[in-house]
Amino acid sequence: MSNIENKPSETPSAVSEQPSPAPPKSSSRWLLSGLTVAVIILAILIYTGIRERANAETTLGTSTERAAIPTVNVVVPATGTAAQEIVLPGNTQAFNETPIYARTNGYLKQWHVDIGAKVNRGQLLAEIDTPEIDQQLEQARADLKNAQANERLAEITSTRWQDLLKTNSVSKQETDQAIQDLSARQASVDSMTANVHRLEQLQSFEKVYAPFSGVITARNTDIGALINAGAGGVPQELFHMASINRLRVYVAVPEVDSQAAQTGAKAALTLDEFPGETFEGTIVRNSDSIDSASRTLNVEVDVNNPQDRIKTGAYVFVHLTRPHGANNYTQSLTIPANTLLFRSEGLRVGVVRDERAELVPIKIGRDFGSTVEVVAGLKPTDHIIVNPSDSLISGTRVQISAPQAGGLK
C-alpha cells in the first residue's frame, strides 16, 4: 500500500518538468493588427477633431466678419405721373356772407327767423319799434304842410305884384322882393320834403330784410333788446347770414407749384366727412402775386353746393394737377422722405453700388410729406438705403436684406 500512495506524488512532478508549448504565431499577428487599427483610428479622430476645430474657427471668423457688415433695407425710386397731383389744405367759405345790422335806433319788436333758417332775398327778418322816429316823421310832415302853404301864398303874392308892375302900380323893388320871397319859400319846401323823405327812409328801416338768399347762421338779439344803429356807440349785429349754395375755397399754393393754378382748370375736393367721395370745383381766380412771407399764391376755388352737404368753414383737401414738364425737368423720381440725409455739405441719399454705400448729392423738387420729388442726382435703377445711419459714409460695405421695388406709389 505504501507504493500505491507514493505514485500520485511522482506524477505531478513528472508533469511539471515537461516544457510549456510556445504561443501560436497567429495570435501575435492579430494583436499587432489590433494595435495598428487602434493607432489609425486614434489618428483619424485626432485629425478630424483638429479639422473640425479649424473649420469652426474659419466659420466663426467668417460669421464675425459678415456680422460686422451692416444690413440695410433699400428701395427703388418710383416713376410715373402720380407725383403730378398736388394735395393742399383749405377751408370752405360762403360765397356771400354778411352780418345784418339795424339802420335805425329803437327796440326789437319781433324776430321772424332763427339759426339754420333758409331765407330768400327780401324776406322779412325782424321788426324794430322806433317811436321817436315816428314822432319826428309826423312833425316833419306838419312842417312840410306849413312850408307848402307859405309857398302857395308867396306864389300868389309874386304873381300879383308882377301883374301890378305892368301898370306901374307898384315899384320894381317891391316886385323883386315878392319874387325872392317865393324862391325862399320854395327852397324851404324842398328842405322840408327832404327831411320827410329822410325820416320815412329811417322808418322803413324798422323792418329788416334779407339782402340775398341764404341761411341764418347766427341770431344775436331778442324781443325787447335795445337796438343801436351806431350813432354814438358800437352797432349791434342782429343776424349773420351766408349764401351756401356755392362755396369758395382759398388755397395757398406754393410758388414752385403755381403753374398748377390755371384759371378755369378743374380741381377735385375731398373731405374726411365724406370718405371716398370727390366734389368738383373750378379755379376761378388767383391773386397773381406771390406772398413774400409765405412764398405762396392765393388761389380761389369755387364749388357748387346745391344740397348744402358741405358746411361753411369745413376743412377740405384740394387736389390740383400739375402740367407735365412744368418743372422743366425731363424726368423726376419719387423717394421716401426717410431716405434723406441732411449733411453740412448738402442733401444726400445713401445708394448701394458694388456692395458698398455711396452718398449721392440730390436735388429735390416738391415735398409731398412722406415722399419727396427728386429732379437730379438719381437713376431709376438705384437702390436707395432706407433709414440710413447718421454715421454712414461713402465706401462702407453693406449687405442688402431685400429690395423693396415698387414700394412707392
Side-chain angles (χ1 to χ4, degrees), residues 133-134 137 141 199-207:
I133 298 297
D134 297 340
L137 179 59
R141 285 172 176 171
L199 292 172
E200 287 177 345
Q201 189 72 23
L202 288 177
Q203 189 181 51
S204 69
F205 293 149
E206 292 178 351
K207 296 184 178 182

Side-chain angles (χ1 to χ4, degrees), residues 138-378:
E138 292 179 2
Q139 181 180 356
R141 285 172 176 171
D143 292 340
L144 176 60
K145 289 180 179 180
N146 184 30
Q148 288 173 343
N150 293 331
E151 179 192 14
R152 285 193 296 270
L153 179 59
E155 183 178 3
I156 294 172
T157 303
S158 175
T159 301
R160 182 176 300 155
W161 281 91
Q162 291 181 36
D163 292 339
L164 292 174
L165 180 62
K166 294 177 182 179
T167 60
N168 294 323
S169 299
V170 294
S171 64
K172 184 71 168 61
Q173 177 68 28
E174 292 174 330
T175 303
D176 291 340
Q177 288 179 351
I179 294 174
Q180 292 301 321
D181 182 64
L182 174 61
S183 299
R185 297 297 181 180
Q186 290 175 341
S188 178
V189 170
D190 292 341
S191 176
M192 295 297 179
T193 302
N195 187 42
V196 169
H197 290 167
R198 179 183 68 84
L199 292 172
E200 287 177 345
Q201 189 72 23
L202 288 177
Q203 189 181 51
S204 69
F205 293 149
E206 292 178 351
K207 296 184 178 182
V208 181
Y209 298 97
F212 52 81
S213 299
V215 62
I216 302 298
T217 59
R219 177 178 62 84
N220 301 316
T221 188
D222 211 339
I223 297 175
L226 177 63
I227 305 302
N228 182 8
V234 179
Q236 178 186 359
E237 178 182 337
L238 304 182
F239 301 94
H240 198 99
M241 67 175 300
S243 176
I244 59 175
N245 59 345
R246 188 174 178 86
L247 300 178
R248 306 177 192 263
V249 180
Y250 289 100
V251 186
V253 179
E255 181 180 1
V256 67
D257 297 321
S258 59
Q259 295 186 37
Q262 299 295 329
T263 301
K266 299 298 181 181
L269 277 70
T270 57
L271 294 85
D272 292 337
E273 183 179 359
F274 304 104
E277 189 170 356
T278 302
F279 300 87
E280 184 179 279
T282 304
I283 300 175
V284 295
R285 62 184 60 86
N286 62 71
S287 62
D288 202 20
S289 175
I290 300 297
D291 186 355
S292 59
S294 61
R295 311 307 306 175
T296 58
L297 177 70
N298 191 24
V299 177
E300 179 186 339
V301 179
D302 288 355
V303 56
N304 291 325
N305 188 36
Q307 299 179 355
D308 300 342
R309 298 183 64 196
I310 305 176
K311 303 295 186 294
T312 59
Y315 187 79
V316 300
F317 295 97
V318 181
H319 300 254
L320 303 177
T321 302
R322 194 181 195 194
H324 292 283
N327 53 9
N328 297 324
Y329 296 105
T330 57
Q331 183 181 24
S332 62
L333 305 173
T334 304
I335 62 174
N338 59 353
T339 60
L340 302 178
L341 280 171
F342 297 90
R343 297 295 175 85
S344 59
E345 58 271 18
L347 195 61
R348 300 288 188 272
V349 293
V351 178
V352 179
R353 294 173 180 171
D354 298 330
E355 298 184 353
R356 294 186 180 275
E358 181 179 346
L359 298 186
V360 177
I362 62 171
K363 182 177 181 180
I364 65 173
R366 291 165 292 164
D367 188 349
F368 303 109
S370 60
T371 59
V372 295
E373 178 189 34
V374 179
V375 296
L378 291 179

Side-chain angles (χ1 to χ4, degrees), residues 90-108:
N91 293 318
T92 59
Q93 298 182 18
F95 198 79
N96 290 318
E97 185 173 8
T98 183
I100 306 299
Y101 293 97
R103 292 292 305 276
T104 185
N105 299 324
Y107 296 91
L108 188 69

